[in-house]
Amino acid sequence: MQGPDISIVLLTRNGGRQFRDCLRQIFSQEIHDSVEVVVVDSGSTDSTLDEIEKYPVRLFQIEPGDFRFGLTRDYGFSQAQGRIIVTLSQDAVPCDKYWLRNLIAPFKNSDIAAVQGVDVEPDSPDVFFWERKGRFYFTRETKRWLDAHDGIGLSFVNVAIRREVWERHHFGDVPMSEDKVFQKMLKENRYRVYLARDARVYHGHTYTVRTLINRCENEGLGWRYAGVDYRFSDMLLDLLSPGKFKTLARAVIQGESLNASGLLFPLIRPLWLFKGNHFTKGYRFYS
């Protein structure tokens, strides 16, 4: 039996309302190609499994302690049967019914190996302040990465990949930022990555101080696996750069509501990015 044209692979654990909305939008897409949805769940205890049962989803389950981003995504891809594999975060909600069509359309060009979609912050005051302002990635390692990769930072929040490319280059045992490790491989092997600006998903976060620290520390660890050195001088320059403090002062003057994580973010990101890049041994879980 011939497999589907497209596989959408989701890694889940306690996806909550965003995952419910994500599934609803996936199964509302207008597309002529055949599509399957593959979910790898790592121990959900909320309503995630109940939501999955409402749809024709191929579900695979692993123990929470077995989860690692690279290996778990490889496992999900190995279960997928499509010639194009889409990887979508459980909390990323397609903005419209044409998201999938727009995401895979560029593959009509045979030289494209991966297509990057676009993240849009939800129109909600609950979304982290610095994401709403487009300033979450203000640190120097991100700018260097974008400069080296034609302005595209591959993010597995919303990406499509040719199956044949993944079969030649698995993600491997990467605890964080396997998307950047994969993008580095693509560049080294002269594969082409395309940015599909009309393949949009809503995607945003909320953070406590602790979860923000863990997120930034994990990013530093991930950059290490991608071969990126966030230097001590980078940390100092990012701590002292005035732009983010002007943004913060303007928000305070205008009476915007900022929690502790929002107020401390300009300091937290450089400090814990550096710690993760140079000293952290393993992935820090957010909760």
Side-chain angles (χ1 to χ4, degrees), residues 29 84 86-88 94-96 98-109 112-120 149-155 157-161 183 192-202:
Q29 294 296 299
I84 302 296
V86 173
T87 175
L88 183 69
C95 292
D96 55 49
Y98 305 112
W99 157 75
L100 185 57
R101 182 192 302 180
N102 294 334
L103 187 65
I104 68 163
F107 286 114
K108 63 180 180 289
N109 297 318
I112 292 176
V115 177
Q116 174 67 63
V118 173
D119 295 2
V120 179
H149 293 86
D150 302 317
I152 300 174
L154 200 70
S155 168
V157 169
N158 179 21
V159 168
I161 299 170
Q183 186 176 13
R192 185 180 171 195
V193 178
Y194 183 88
L195 179 62
R197 298 186 184 278
D198 52 358
R200 305 183 308 150
V201 298
Y202 292 115

Side-chain angles (χ1 to χ4, degrees), residues 69 119 128 130-131 135-146 153-155 157 174-181 203 205 207 210-231 238 265 268-286:
F69 275 105
D119 295 2
F128 189 54
W130 296 95
E131 289 185 349
R135 297 294 307 277
F136 191 88
Y137 300 102
F138 72 86
T139 42
R140 280 166 165 73
E141 88 297 336
T142 298
K143 184 179 186 304
R144 287 199 297 267
W145 186 268
L146 293 175
L154 200 70
S155 168
V157 169
V174 181
M176 178 74 177
S177 301
E178 76 282 12
D179 42 16
K180 301 303 188 296
V181 174
H203 186 242
H205 301 93
Y207 295 103
R210 171 49 54 191
T211 58
L212 179 63
I213 285 172
N214 288 352
R215 163 67 188 270
C216 294
E217 189 170 350
N218 287 337
E219 278 193 48
L221 174 66
W223 281 124
R224 188 198 313 163
Y225 276 79
V228 173
D229 182 17
Y230 185 65
R231 300 180 290 263
D238 285 332
F265 175 73
I268 287 175
R269 181 167 176 84
L271 288 169
W272 268 270
L273 198 65
F274 180 78
K275 180 177 184 291
N277 193 239
H278 293 277
F279 302 108
T280 300
K281 302 297 183 183
Y283 181 83
R284 304 289 191 187
F285 287 96
Y286 282 24

Side-chain angles (χ1 to χ4, degrees), residues 31-186:
I31 190 165
H32 297 300
D33 303 272
S34 55
V35 181
E36 69 167 355
V37 177
V38 175
V39 172
V40 180
D41 187 81
S42 55
S44 287
T45 57
D46 66 354
S47 63
T48 294
L49 297 179
D50 294 330
E51 292 297 330
I52 290 171
E53 289 182 357
K54 298 176 182 178
Y55 297 93
V57 168
R58 298 178 59 220
L59 172 64
F60 301 88
Q61 295 175 277
I62 64 173
E63 293 296 322
D66 292 336
F67 180 88
R68 282 175 71 87
F69 275 105
L71 292 178
T72 305
R73 207 175 299 278
D74 274 333
Y75 175 63
F77 275 39
S78 73
Q79 301 301 325
Q81 300 172 344
R83 58 183 176 81
I84 302 296
I85 303 179
V86 173
T87 175
L88 183 69
S89 288
Q90 67 172 359
D91 58 348
V93 181
C95 292
D96 55 49
K97 61 186 177 181
Y98 305 112
W99 157 75
L100 185 57
R101 182 192 302 180
N102 294 334
L103 187 65
I104 68 163
F107 286 114
K108 63 180 180 289
N109 297 318
S110 60
D111 64 330
I112 292 176
V115 177
Q116 174 67 63
V118 173
D119 295 2
V120 179
E121 286 74 30
D123 184 17
S124 169
D126 294 332
V127 174
F128 189 54
F129 170 80
W130 296 95
E131 289 185 349
R132 286 189 279 118
K133 297 298 181 182
R135 297 294 307 277
F136 191 88
Y137 300 102
F138 72 86
T139 42
R140 280 166 165 73
E141 88 297 336
T142 298
K143 184 179 186 304
R144 287 199 297 267
W145 186 268
L146 293 175
D147 288 345
H149 293 86
D150 302 317
I152 300 174
L154 200 70
S155 168
F156 283 169
V157 169
N158 179 21
V159 168
I161 299 170
R162 287 192 191 274
R163 182 186 184 87
E164 62 194 58
V165 175
W166 168 77
E167 287 178 338
R168 290 195 291 268
H169 306 282
H170 287 189
F171 307 122
D173 190 6
V174 181
M176 178 74 177
S177 301
E178 76 282 12
D179 42 16
K180 301 303 188 296
V181 174
F182 191 68
Q183 186 176 13
K184 179 183 178 185
M185 178 282 301
L186 292 175

